[in-house]
Each structure stands twice: as C-alpha cells, then as structure tokens.
Amino acid sequence: MKLKIFLVLCLSTIFSIASQEISDTSFGNGLINFTAKDSSFSIKFAPRFQMRYISTWNHDGEQYGSPEHNFIIRRARLKFDGFAYSPKLEYKIELGLSNRDISGGNQFTRNTPRYILDAVLKWHFADNWELWAGQTKLPGNVERVISSGDLQLVNRSLLNSRFSIDRDIGLQLRHKSYLGNKFLIREKIALSQGEGRNVTEGNEGGLQYTARLEVLPFGAFKSKGDYKGSDLKREKAPKLSMAFTYNLNANAVRRRGVLGGYMFRSDGSLYETDITTLFVDSMFKHNGFSFMGEYAKRTADAPVALDIDGITPTGDVVLVGSALNLQAGYLFKSNYEIAGRYTSVDYETVTNTLPRKQYTLGFNKFVHGHKLKLQSDISYTSADGNEDGIRFRLGFDFHF
C-alpha cells in the first residue's frame, strides 16, 4: 500500500509538471522528459512491459507429451532517470511490478516484495571518470548488462541464468581512455555487499569484488550498441568489443553468489565459502550482422556445504561449472531479423546436475526499434542427451 501511494504521488507530480507545457518528446524517448528552467534537474519517466506466450513439450524417454501453455507478463517496470543539481550527477531508479520482478523475498529482505531493481547515483567527477553508488547491475557478462528490453532473442541464455553475477549494492568506479583516435579501453571495478538486491539484513559473509576490462579496437559502437542486441544502427564499419571480467564473492552464503538459496547449517548459521566467477565475452556488429560470444566459469574453494561439525554435508552445493554461449543474427532492411543461439552448460560432478545443450532459432520484427517489437523463438534443449524438451515463445515489448 505504501508503494502504491508513493507511485501515485510520483506520477501525479510528473504529469502535473508535464501538463504545464507541451513536450517535444516522441515515442521511445520516454513518456515524460522534463528539464527544469534553471537546469537544476531533469527527469525522464519511461514505463515498459513485456507479454509472453510460452508452449513447451517434454520428452518422457519414449515420446513427447502434450504441450503445456502459459501466458505471462514477463516484465512490467517503471524507469526514472536524469540528473540532479548538475549534469555531472546522474541518477537512475527502476522499479519492477510483475510477479517475476518482485518475487524472491526472504528473511534477509524482511519477507517483502523486491520492488527495487536499480537505485543508483552516477557522478562524473573528472574527464572519463565516473563513480557509481547504489544498487544496480554489476559489470558482469555482456548479456546480463544488456537491458531485458534490448535483447535479440526472447530472453537471456542458460549461461546467464546459471552464472550471472546480477545486481548488488555498493560502489563502482569506471574509466575510459583512447589509444590513438579510435582504440577505446574501458575499465570498471566494483565493491559490493555480495548478497544481491534489496537485502536489508546483512552483511552476511563477506564482500564482493568485481573487475572488468573492455577493449574496442575499432572505436565505440553507435548508441552504445555493444550493450544492445541486434545491429539496429547497421554499423557502416566493423565494430568489435572484447572483454574479461573477474568476480570474487568472499565468504559467499548463497549457492550462486548473489543469487540462489542461502546455505543454512543445522544451528541456523550460514555456511561460507569463496566463489570466483570468470567471464570472457565479445560483441561484433557490421551492416546488420551481429555476433555475441560468451564463456563463463564458476569455482568455489569448498563447494559442498558442511554442517557445524565440518564433516556432514547439509545438502547445499555451490553451482560450480562452466558455460559457452554463441549467438548471431542478421537484420534485413525490412526490419525483420533472424537469429540463432547455441548454449552449452557443464556442471562439476559435485553439483549432481546434468550438462545441458540448447539450440535456439528466433525471428523478430522491429516496429520501432527495441521500443516496439514482436519476437518469437523456438528452442531444443538436451540434458546429457537423456531429457529433451522443445519450447516455443512468442511475445511483444512495449516501451515508452
């Protein structure tokens, strides 16, 4: 109820401000785009949502069963961004409203819905330097940092769902520099709490440390296209990004670092172990063709959680292993696109989880870029060659 009242007040204020004059904004650039007359602040308000139809067929070892059908609102979000006091101090707030957005509450979030996705300040304190403070995505694998509204396929890959380092709360320092006229280098480091978003009862375990290095030998992509799916800008010259990410979650207490279940022991205390995740990824675009490649590997000092006696397994295991994701697509001048993806995930033996391979073929129609688009894909998934499944997805994205 408090959140509803807050949203009503915020929206009433925004529309009241906007109603005082005609806005020159257009579809896809935010529902409200307002700058104060004295340039002391600005605000852009951009709601968005995604609807999905999903049909799955599972193989029982002899034949495929009857399909299961599902309609969902996959995401429904309210995004606010702009600057305050000075254009050098930017902010971003993003709230999630769908069930998938707010689920996952537990005793460490006071058993409340997890509405807040992003709440971060970005201070441009010097040329090519930024300091971020708050809750937002860590500088992890490129697929995770791409907005869910800018994806090339209907949703992210198995690599991302199993190995992402996701969102956390803390500090990030970012820097960029050029070698010559085009060769761009970006460095990003982060110090964060290590337990994911919306945690109120902490810090459990230790802190999380992240470092990412990005090299763009042919210069920056148009409109930050290295963090958007598909080559909507049809890069006239080849553009390439190559990156490496190192993440250490010291004394981690969850099975997937900032995600997954907490590893409790019989006395109610938490099992702790150091978890390390590595990513190597790349993005290439040229004249409608796009390619994204990612490799991830997660290790843990002691992946099998032990009880207080240091001998008896509790049943929890850190999800350690590796994954490869390869994805490519071609955008026709008619704004139709065909895309394909191959993902393989291999888990360590201690996880008692079968390796998986997934093949996905997608078709897109961009009506107004990523802001209004129709997407569909079909995937075939094999778990160690024994448990097969087929999934078809169809949906649309609508973003002001």
Side-chain angles (χ1 to χ4, degrees):
M1 181 60 69
K2 291 181 179 179
L3 178 67
K4 291 179 181 178
I5 295 173
F6 170 75
L7 291 175
V8 169
L9 291 174
C10 286
L11 295 177
S12 298
T13 301
I14 292 171
F15 284 112
S16 175
I17 293 173
S19 66
Q20 296 177 20
E21 57 184 82
I22 297 175
S23 174
D24 61 357
T25 190
S26 60
F27 178 75
N29 294 318
L31 181 61
I32 302 297
N33 204 328
F34 175 82
T35 301
K37 183 177 294 186
D38 62 357
S39 298
S40 60
F41 77 92
S42 72
I43 184 169
K44 182 170 76 172
F45 171 53
R48 65 185 179 98
F49 72 95
Q50 301 172 335
M51 181 177 174
R52 300 287 185 254
Y53 163 75
I54 305 171
S55 183
T56 57
W57 295 262
N58 293 316
H59 200 278
D60 62 7
E62 296 183 359
Q63 62 182 0
Y64 285 99
S66 299
E68 298 178 1
H69 306 283
N70 189 20
F71 288 91
I72 62 171
I73 299 299
R74 178 60 178 84
R75 295 175 177 90
R77 297 179 177 178
L78 303 177
K79 179 181 175 182
F80 306 81
D81 59 25
F83 68 84
Y85 181 69
S86 165
K88 294 182 178 181
L89 184 62
E90 297 180 338
Y91 67 90
K92 177 186 177 183
I93 301 170
E94 187 165 357
L95 307 177
L97 302 178
S98 74
N99 290 342
R100 291 290 297 268
D101 285 331
I102 66 178
S103 63
N106 54 50
Q107 66 204 73
F108 299 101
T109 63
R110 300 194 179 185
N111 295 305
T112 57
R114 302 188 305 158
Y115 290 108
I116 301 174
L117 295 166
D118 295 299
V120 61
L121 286 176
K122 305 174 183 180
W123 179 31
H124 302 260
F125 63 91
D127 287 344
N128 299 327
W129 287 92
E130 296 179 23
L131 179 64
W132 294 16
Q135 178 176 288
T136 191
K137 294 176 183 177
L138 293 172
N141 61 304
V142 62
E143 186 184 25
R144 183 65 189 93
V145 182
I146 292 175
S147 169
S148 58
D150 294 332
L151 296 175
Q152 185 172 46
L153 293 169
V154 175
N155 218 335
R156 298 184 178 94
S157 68
L158 289 175
L159 178 150
N160 185 82
S161 65
R162 303 300 188 265
F163 296 101
S164 168
I165 57 175
D166 207 68
R167 287 178 166 90
D168 204 3
I169 185 168
L171 301 173
Q172 296 187 28
L173 181 64
R174 299 181 172 223
H175 175 256
K176 66 179 180 180
S177 59
Y178 283 91
L179 297 177
N181 294 327
K182 289 187 176 181
F183 200 108
L184 175 61
I185 300 175
R186 295 194 292 233
E187 309 94 17
K188 306 173 183 180
I189 60 174
L191 172 65
S192 55
Q193 183 165 256
E195 291 162 67
R197 62 185 180 96
N198 294 315
V199 171
T200 60
E201 311 298 326
N203 174 279
E204 306 292 342
L207 297 174
Q208 182 168 213
Y209 310 87
T210 309
R212 180 172 172 84
L213 175 66
E214 300 176 350
V215 178
L216 291 78
F218 308 131
F221 290 62
K222 292 181 181 178
S223 302
K224 301 179 181 179
D226 49 331
Y227 281 101
K228 294 180 181 179
S230 310
D231 184 17
L232 292 179
K233 296 299 180 179
R234 304 191 69 87
E235 296 280 0
K236 293 182 179 180
K239 292 296 175 67
L240 174 66
S241 171
M242 299 176 291
F244 172 79
T245 298
Y246 171 83
N247 173 268
L248 170 64
N249 198 326
N251 296 323
V253 295
R254 304 181 70 172
R255 295 183 62 242
R256 291 189 286 135
V258 299
L259 299 169
Y262 284 81
M263 298 181 288
F264 286 99
R265 300 188 293 188
S266 59
D267 65 348
S269 62
L270 290 165
Y271 176 78
E272 301 178 0
T273 186
D274 289 352
I275 298 177
T276 301
T277 307
L278 302 176
F279 296 104
V280 179
D281 57 66
S282 65
M283 178 73 80
F284 175 83
K285 292 185 176 182
H286 182 221
N287 196 29
F289 174 78
S290 59
F291 169 81
M292 181 181 71
E294 298 179 294
Y295 172 78
K297 184 173 181 62
R298 178 188 290 137
T299 60
D301 285 355
V304 179
L306 301 176
D307 213 336
I308 54 176
D309 60 7
I311 300 174
T312 307
T314 65
D316 286 321
V317 179
V318 176
L319 196 65
V320 290
S322 61
L324 175 68
N325 184 52
L326 303 175
Q327 181 174 314
Y330 182 74
L331 177 69
F332 297 92
K333 292 183 179 180
S334 58
N335 285 329
Y336 284 95
E337 183 184 43
I338 183 171
R341 179 168 68 197
Y342 165 76
T343 310
S344 65
V345 183
D346 294 305
Y347 300 100
E348 299 292 340
T349 304
V350 294
T351 65
N352 196 32
T353 304
L354 293 174
R356 294 181 180 273
K357 295 184 186 300
Q358 186 175 84
Y359 307 84
T360 301
L361 180 64
F363 298 91
N364 303 321
K365 170 58 178 177
F366 296 96
V367 180
H368 191 83
H370 285 294
K371 305 301 182 181
L372 181 58
K373 62 183 177 181
L374 298 172
Q375 291 186 289
S376 65
D377 64 31
I378 186 168
S379 296
Y380 169 75
T381 305
S382 173
D384 199 28
N386 297 319
E387 300 177 8
D388 300 343
I390 297 174
R391 178 186 61 198
F392 172 74
R393 299 183 293 193
L394 174 67
F396 65 83
D397 282 44
F398 182 86
H399 304 205
F400 274 105

